[in-house]
Amino acid sequence: MSDARTAVTGSITSKDGTTIGYRQLGDGPGVVLLHGIMESAQSHMQLAEGLADTFTVYLPDRRGRGLSGPQGSDYRLEKEVEDLDALLTKTGAHYVFGVSPETDSVALGLILCRFAHYFRVYGVQFDGAVRLLPQQR
């Protein structure tokens, strides 16, 4: 039997053919932790390990980082929405958290809001205090 806190890697192919790599650990309902602009999935392994006893945690690397392919010359925010859509389709995860200590929480918010009417979407922002942002409607 494998340890629920041991991450395995996987990948999906986004709509434009870009490989999006992710780490997966835990057991339970699926939750995606989406990292900020100056981070990678590895940045939130400790949080994922804390959730792994209750959830199956997916930590995708956003384009141009870690296990994922490059942003590409035609990069735009919509590409990241497509990436998240591909991951959610493959995994069946119904929870998405945007985790960011940076100023790109606006970009994360835009990505997450695109899915607000399909999934329970939340955001976590670290700015001296941890705040759970309310579910988008």
Side-chain angles (χ1 to χ4, degrees):
M1 176 182 277
S2 65
D3 180 2
R5 294 181 183 208
T6 301
V8 296
T9 59
S11 66
I12 49 104
T13 302
S14 193
K15 185 176 179 181
D16 69 354
T18 301
T19 298
I20 304 300
Y22 63 89
R23 290 165 179 80
Q24 174 185 339
L25 64 157
D27 188 37
V31 61
V32 175
L33 299 180
L34 194 60
H35 66 78
I37 195 168
M38 298 299 289
E39 301 174 305
S40 70
Q42 193 66 36
S43 302
H44 300 293
M45 283 300 297
Q46 188 174 6
L47 175 58
E49 289 167 355
L51 295 170
D53 289 336
T54 307
F55 296 97
T56 300
V57 183
Y58 300 95
L59 296 124
D61 277 313
R62 289 171 61 189
R63 289 173 179 246
R65 297 161 191 88
L67 302 171
S68 293
Q71 287 183 342
S73 60
D74 63 341
Y75 171 78
R76 57 191 185 281
L77 200 55
E78 184 64 30
K79 298 287 186 184
E80 299 219 31
V81 171
E82 293 169 0
D83 300 346
L84 181 57
D85 184 47
L87 181 64
L88 292 171
T89 298
K90 178 177 180 176
T91 65
H94 282 31
Y95 300 95
V96 180
F97 286 86
V99 185
S100 175
E102 303 139 4
T103 57
D104 76 316
S105 55
V106 171
L108 277 176
L110 291 172
I111 294 168
L112 295 174
C113 284
R114 295 294 303 270
F115 293 94
H117 56 288
Y118 295 113
F119 302 101
R120 294 180 181 170
V121 178
Y122 300 87
V124 178
Q125 183 176 1
F126 299 93
D127 56 355
V130 178
R131 293 182 290 143
L132 181 64
L133 305 177
Q135 180 176 346
Q136 303 294 315
R137 297 243 176 212

